[in-house]
Each structure stands twice: as structure tokens, then as C-alpha cells.
Amino acid sequence: MANILNIGLSALLAQQRALTTTSNNIANASTPGFSRQRVELSERPSEQVGPGYVGTGVDVAMLRRMTDDILADQLRTAAGGFHRADAFASLASSLDDLLAGTDTGLTATMQGFANALQNVSNDPSSTSSREALLSEARSLIARFDAMDQRLGDIALEVRTRMTAAADRITALGADLAEINRQLIAAGTAAGLPGPSELLDKRDRLLEELSGLVQVDAAQQRDGTTSVFIGTGQVLVLGGTSAELAVTAGNADPLQPQVVLRGFGPDVNVTSFVSGGELGGVVDFNREMLAPARSELGRIAVGLVTTMNAVHRNGMDAEGQLGGDFFAIGAPQAFAAGSNTGSGSVAVTITGVAALEPTNYRLTFDGSAYTLQRVDNGAVVPMTGAGTALSPFVADGLSIVVSGTPAASDQFFLKPLEHVAGTLRLMVTRSADVAAAAPTRTSTALGNTGTATISSGEIVDVTNPSLLTTSTIAFVNATTYTINGAGSFTYTPGANIDINGTRVQITGTPAAGDQFVIEQNVGGTGDNRNVQALIDRFRSSVFNGDVSLQDAAAGLITNVGARTSEVTNQRDVQQLVFEQNRDRLESVRGVNLDEEAADMLRFEQLYQAAARIMQVSDNLFQTLLNTLLR
Amino acid sequence: MRISNDTLRSAFLSALDEARQRVLATQEKVSTGLRINSPSDDPVAAARVAHLDASLTRLDQYHANAVFARNQLGLEEEALTDVIGNLQRIRELVLQANNSTTSAADRSIIADEIRQHRDAIRAVANTTDVDGRYLFAGFREQTTPFTVSGSGSVVYNGDYGQRTLQISDSRFVAINDSGAEVFQRIPEGNGTFVLGVGATNAGTGTLGEGTVTNPAAWVADTYTISFLTPSSYEVRDGANTVIATGSFAPSQSVTFPGASVRIDGTPAAGDTFTVTPSAQRDVFATLDLLISEIEVPAGDPAGRAQMHSEVGQRLLDLDNALARVVSTRGEVGARVRALDQQESLNDEFEVHLRTTLSSVRDLDYAEALSRLSQELFGLDAAQQAFARAQNLSLFKYI
């Protein structure tokens, strides 16, 4: 009887525990990160009674927390992948919208500038078409400036998001360290499983952390979880956590970098972190934003260099040589903050055609310099020695190192990233637009031959005698003198360069024929130089036969293609993430129908157990009644 | 696989979300009418659209250039036609004056009329466009091209510049001709040499046509034809060497290496005629010479013979000037035709570009609207399914 009572009691307690657990599951059905629990029962050891063994009831063996660590780990990886793609895609979309909008883009304004040049070419002495050209030039500059500012805004957003992510990661690390401490206090070091809600909370924190940056979570023997980021840098170890901070770059103070502080000296982990929102933002910055800014700068430098080269060869409405049409800021170079030597670097742009839209890192190993692109890490071969007389030349840049750098010193070169906003118009008056060429040619009236002379083009505008009058006189049909001196053989159509002007004479000259090259005075209807500007604007500027318009359109297309690619990637990653989440949920999620059925079952079992006790009591009462008579 | 309540709910919600996003995307396309609203929608097509847009803008500009060019060329053509009219009238007058029956008094009246036409030509050569810029001054379009100097000769103040405009990616058209080419660099005589009359000639020998019989044998030099007797002549070159002699009868030609000169009438002994290589003279100087030659009283036969000789030569010069203006007008006409041709090519190309642009960028409304209604229906169905599935729970029955 006592046995029956005990058995009944054990059953009662077991079903009570089961009902409690089921109620807990139902209560927490919608709690995020909750792992449902199941009671696991085990038989009590049986007693030997007579020829056999009799059972003694049921025990609650354990309360199992239904989860799967492998699936949880996979889910964290998927979360990291998804959030990285999501952050990247959303930033890429805003970059895409900026470049492509007809209100905010570049190609329409550039075409407007080209059209204004054509109108000046039609009617060079018209003040209104010159004014319109200057107005279009100012619009073009304003557009470059606006785009540069907006790109700067995106860079600021990148920095803000990086900082927010780093702060949240630090906070989560601290929380995980706290949970580790609580788990130790709850006795996990001795092998106890630890409170379920702490473990659930830990899993939830790890999942959120994975959404911010890819982490490795390693379960330690004492029940705590250690967390590593990047390539094995420690974020959480036992009860202590590190701090993740965003600071100004060591090599490039204008670029944010991610620094891990806490366990030992500060470590720059910017290139090690991957995955999660932080990884996505850092990747976006390196792979799309910085190259886009450099490309915009490259187009601006191309515009300035080519337009200036042609404009300098021209003559304005007041008879002055053209000079520069645009001006643009100089390339930037920094010495890394960690440098121990005293070296400094100066960069100038010498070859527009070879410019690449990237920043560069120049490293000194003690004896030699290595130049690397920042966007893909490729090493760029250089010629020259780095001195002022023999500068390093690579990718259109000329680099001079001065001072004494120490071994492993680094220098950061940004030739193009920040120049698009420094564009300026040097021509302020409509009369200063150099539409004409500085020299003109004429054929003497007394010529009897049939030779004609071309109108001339400028090959060297710096020639000090450019504007002096020169005469080509033919002594006979095959020989001529220049300014009365020399004896040159006449080849029809060959270039004749005099004082910086190049002409060609074709046809058959007669003895005594003369041709004159002289300063273009009063030639207000001359459109030769503005026509040259138009040609240069449309012709190839960069390697690969890329014109300015091609480069502007290419920038839009590349960003658009990449955005489309990452958006598709994000959609795929989202599916993977949801699949992984569903798989984990199928193990640990609460199904209310299942709990309802269980509740019914446990209730019945409880009633049955109670009945056992009643039966036991009845038996006892019967015995008592029998004995008492 | 076990489905937890959470999974059920989030699966439904994400399906609803996707359905809503699809509807939103299609709605945006329908309201803007564009298939591509940002390059990431279709990067390859977006690149094509950028190129097409740029080409269309360029075509618009070429059209504007062509309009400007046509205006200028039209003005030039009118001016040249005016000049041709004047020159032709002058030619008629000259023929009249050269007639042996015209009296000196009549010739004086004719000379006056020629003066009027000469001044008219100069005025047309100084014609300006609507903005006051001179058509025939080359690049120096704000300077009067033809002015009269103190000595009475006409001076050209312009230059040789010819302005070209772009009317397609590879085609340029010139929109002016410099006054120097049109009015000034006119060859004399027959283009190779010009004939002259000795000032003291006493006979009635009148210069006729001078031709180059053998271009290879012609040596450019000043030759003098002297008549030793009315029927024999000798030709000396610039070094006074006799290079040809011959006998002569009226209306026969004097020949010497490479050239032959016909002389009508009867030259007297001692009469000379000169053969000088052609230089270039401007049309105004030619007209001035013509006027002074016509105004010579020329009472006696010798004087008349001289006048006829000189006027005959000037007539050649005048024809050269006329030919130059006519050919320039022909060139202008050819340029206008080239403009027209290019314009119609550009128009065709523009239609082609616009069609391609539309097919790449514009939305197919029929397809989009039917897709939109389909997606709306899908959204509605997803919402209904969600509502009904959420209702099911075992707890309702226990």
C-alpha cells in the first residue's frame, strides 16, 4: 500500500511537472528565441519482491531543452550572410539612385555642356552663346559638386552604420559575458546544464550578434561560450568581453576603421571582419563607394585636363591666349599614423589616360617600395626611383618620396577620391572663352600657282614667337624659304611647323608664291578652337578608347549592374536564412496544437495518478476497517 | 518536419510581404510608364538607354546647327546672285561699249553705269547678316571687308577664315567663303598669261585670243611681240632674246613656244604687244581699269584699236570674275544640298533611335496591367489564406 501510494505520488509529481512544463511552453509560445522544453521521465529502480521485480514509479529524469546546436550554428551563419547582403544591397541601391536619376545624374549635364560648345561654334562672336556656355559649365561643376556631396553623405551613413553596429556588438559582447558569469554562478562548471532562459537568451544574443558580424561561438567545458570575430580575434572570453570601436583610419584618416580593444593591444580588424551588417557596410565601402568616388574624380580630372589643354591653345575675344578653362584640387597623400620614420609623399597626375579609379598604398620595406591598389590588392609596377628628378610613375601618377621613411612605413595615396568637389571655373567673362585660334594663314594675292595652305593648328602654344608673322616663300615649285632663310624641300601635304603653328600646303606652287602665318587679329568669327574643344570632349580620354561621356555612362552602368547583382544575392540569402530558421524552429518552436494534445494527456495521467492514490487510500481504509472490528 | 506556430505565422507573413512587394514594383512601373526606373532594374538596358539618350540630344544639336548653317548659306547665295546679276549687266555694257559704232559720249555714259554697278557689287560684298556680321570677311566678321583707300583702290580687310559647323558625328559644312577668294584672287587673262598693247602703237592691230598651245613648252616669262613690218614679227623673251619670228597676215596668229596670239587688223611697223604671266587681280581693280579704258576718247583708228585690245582683255578678266562668283554660288548650293541630305538622314536616324529607346525603356502597358491585376489577386488570396489558417487551433475544441 505504501508502495502504491508512493507510486501514485511519483506519478502525480511527474505529471504535475509535465503540465507545468507544457504550460510554460504555451505561455512562451511567442517569446522570441524560446526553446520549448520537454519533461523526460525515467523508471525508478524496481524492487525484488518474491520471484520477480516490482516497479516503484516514475521519476523526472530531466527537463530537456529542445534545440539543436548544429542547426543554431548554421542559422547564425545564414543570418550573417543575409544581413551582410541586406546592408550591402540597401546602400548599393541608394548609390544607384543617386547616379542614375536624371535630376541627379551626370550624363545629361555633360551633354548640355557639349551642346553649349556647339552653339558657340555656330556663332563665336555672339555674347549670349558664350554666356550660355559659361552657364552650362557652372551647372556641370555644380552637378559634380552635388554628386560628390551626396557620395560624402553616403560615406557618412557608412560611418554611422559602422559605429552603430560596433556599439551594438560591444553591448552584445558585454551581455554575453554577463550570461557567462551567471552560468558559472549557476554551477555549470560542475556539469549542471544551467537555467534554460539563460541559454535561450544566450542563443538569441548570438543570433543577433551574427546579424551584425560573423562570429564563431565555441562552447567551453565550463559551460561558458567564447565568441571570436574576424580571423580569430577574441570578443568574449568567459566573463570578460572586448570593445569594438570605429576610429579614423591609421593609413587614411578620412576612412573609418574598426578596432578591437580589450585583450592586449588594439587590433585593426577592418579587413578581417566579414558577414553581418558590419561586414556588409565595410565591403560596400571598399568595393563600391570608394571606387565610385574615385571614378567620379577620374572623370572630373579627365574633363579638366583635356579641356584645359585645348583651351590654352586658343585665343579669346580680346586677343589674349586662352589659359585654363577649369581648375581642380590636387591629389592627396597621407603618411600612416603608425609610421616611425619621417618620410612624406607627394603625388601629381601626369597621364590622365592611365588613371585608375582606386586609392593606393605605398609600403617601404626598408630598401624598396611596393605600390598596391586598395580596391583589389594588386601590386602595381612602378618605374623610376621616387626622387624629385626621377619620380615613381605608375597608372598615370607621379610619386615623389621625401624625408627618411623607416622599414614597414606605409603611405596612403588618394589621387581621385576627393577631387570631384574641388572643380572650379577659371573663365569668368564671356569674352575670355577662347573660341578662336591664335594664328591664321593667308595666301598672297600675287600668287600664280595653284597651291593652297591649311588654316593652321597650334602644336606648341608656349612658343615665344607664336604670334610673330612668318612668311613661306617659294623660290621655285619645289623649294621654299621661311622668313627668307633656309632652303626646304616642298612635299605636298606634309606638316610644316613654324613657331608653334602647324600648316600643310597642297597643290602646285609657282616661283614667287608666298604664304603668311600671322597673329589672328579681329578674327571674332573664328570657331576653330571651340570646334577643337568639341572634338576633344567626344574623343577618347582614358585607356581603352573611353571618352568622358563613356566613363560617365560606365559609372552608372557598373553601379547598376552591381546593385542588381547584390539585390539578387540578398534575395537568395534571405531564402537560405529563412530555411535555416524554419529548420531550427521545427526543433525548438512551440506548436500549440501539440501542446494542447499534451496538456490533455498529462491531465488524464494526473487524474489517473490521483485515482491511484485514492485507490491506495481505499485499500488502506479497507484494511483499517477490517482490523478495527 | 515539425511546424511550430511561429514558423507558420512567419511563413505566411513573408509570403504576404513578397506579394505586396511585387504589386508595389509593378505599380511604380505603371505610374511612371517606364520599364526601367533605376539602372539596377536592368543594367544592360540602362546602358543602352543612356547611349540612345545621348545620341538623340546630339541629333537635336546637329539640327540646330543645320538651321543656323542654312540661314547663313541662304544669305550668301542671295548676295552672290546679286553680284552675278551686276556682273552680267556690266558685261552687256562692255560689249556695247566695245562696239566700233559706239561714240565716245555714249561710252562715257556706259562708263558711269558701270561705276554704279561696281559700287553695288562692293556694297553686296560688304553685306551683313541679321546680327550685323559681315558675310565675306572670313573670320574678321566685325570688320568691313572691302573699303576704299585714299588712292581709290579697294582694300580687303578680312582674312581667309572659313567657319565649319558640325551637322553629324562625322560631317562638317562650311558656312562662309572669304571675300579674298570670291572677289580678290581672280586670275588675269586666260589664266596663264595676259596680253597687253604697246602705248605708242600706230597701227590698227587689235588683240584677239591668246591660247596656250603646249603647256609643257610654255615658259613663264614676259614676252614682247614686235612687228618689224606689218607682215613680219619677232618675239623676244624677258632677256631680250629672239625666240621666234614669222610672217603675218591680218587675223592670223603669232606663235612662239607654247603659245599663240591672234591679232586682227593691221599692225604698223614698230607696234608691240606684250605677253605677261597671269597674276591675280581683284574684281574692283578690274572694273576700275575697265572704266578708265572705256573712257579713253580714242578718236583715231589707232586709239580705237588700242581700246578694243585692252577692253577685250578686260572682258576675259571679267569673265574670270563672273566664273568665280558663279562657281562659289554653285558650291554654296552644293553645301545646302548636303545639309538637306544630312538633315533627312538625321531625321530618319532620330525616328529609329526613338523607336529603339521606346522599345527598351517604355513599359508594355497591356502586359504590365494584366500582371498587376494578377498580382493583386495573388495578394488578396494570400491574405485570405492567412486569415483562415490563423483561425485553426486545437484549443477551440478542448
Side-chain angles (χ1 to χ4, degrees), chain B residues 272-340:
Chain B
T272 54
F273 299 92
T274 52
V275 179
T276 334
S278 293
Q280 291 170 329
R281 197 192 310 126
D282 68 80
V283 66
F284 304 105
T286 302
L287 292 175
D288 284 342
L289 274 177
L290 199 54
I291 289 165
S292 61
E293 282 159 8
I294 288 174
E295 281 182 330
V296 164
D300 58 320
R304 289 189 90 82
Q306 265 201 347
M307 190 202 76
H308 288 312
S309 296
E310 283 169 348
V311 171
Q313 290 304 297
R314 292 294 82 71
L315 213 50
L316 287 177
D317 298 342
L318 191 65
D319 283 343
N320 288 342
L322 189 58
R324 172 66 55 84
V325 179
V326 167
S327 90
T328 309
R329 190 179 66 168
E331 257 181 58
V332 170
R335 287 183 212 142
V336 173
R337 274 196 301 284
L339 266 181
D340 289 339

Side-chain angles (χ1 to χ4, degrees), chain A residues 382-450:
Chain A
M382 299 189 288
T383 60
T387 60
L389 292 172
S390 165
F392 288 127
V393 176
D395 282 357
L397 302 173
S398 163
I399 307 167
V400 174
V401 182
S402 44
T404 24
S408 72
D409 273 1
Q410 285 193 349
F411 303 92
F412 208 70
L413 311 179
K414 300 180 99 167
L416 302 170
E417 192 174 318
H418 297 291
V419 295
T422 62
L423 210 49
R424 268 186 350 271
L425 189 63
M426 295 299 281
V427 173
T428 48
R429 301 161 58 232
S430 62
D432 291 338
V433 175
T439 56
R440 65 172 181 221
T441 58
S442 57
T443 314
L445 277 183
N447 284 6
T448 52
T450 60

Side-chain angles (χ1 to χ4, degrees), chain A residues 451-474:
Chain A
T452 53
I453 188 170
S454 67
S455 58
E457 57 179 309
I458 304 298
V459 292
D460 179 13
V461 74
T462 59
N463 188 309
S465 311
L466 181 73
L467 301 177
T468 57
T469 308
S470 306
T471 312
I472 299 174
F474 280 84

Side-chain angles (χ1 to χ4, degrees), chain B residues 121-128 134-136 144-147:
Chain B
I121 291 172
R122 190 165 62 81
V124 172
N126 284 339
T127 197
T128 61
Y134 295 100
L135 290 180
F136 292 106
T144 314
F146 293 98
T147 52

Side-chain angles (χ1 to χ4, degrees), chain A residues 36 96 100 118-119 122-123 125 443 445 447-448 521 524-525 527 531 538 586 589-594, chain B residues 2-5 7 39-40 61 65 68 133 139-142 160 163-166 169 172 278 280 394:
Chain A
R36 69 196 170 103
D96 183 46
Q118 288 275 13
N119 285 331
N122 290 351
D123 198 358
S125 50
T443 314
L445 277 183
N447 284 6
T448 52
V521 177
T524 53
N527 73 345
Q531 198 60 51
R538 284 203 63 212
S586 83
V590 172
N591 184 320
L592 288 175
D593 293 344
E594 190 185 29
Chain B
R2 262 190 84 247
I3 308 279
S4 72
N5 283 72
T7 307
S40 53
Q61 184 61 44
N65 292 0
F68 189 88
R133 290 198 267 283
F139 288 142
R140 307 192 69 203
E141 55 183 24
Q142 287 168 336
Y160 282 75
R163 193 149 92 233
T164 57
L165 300 189
Q166 199 165 9
D169 282 348
F172 293 81
S278 293
Q280 291 170 329
L394 193 53

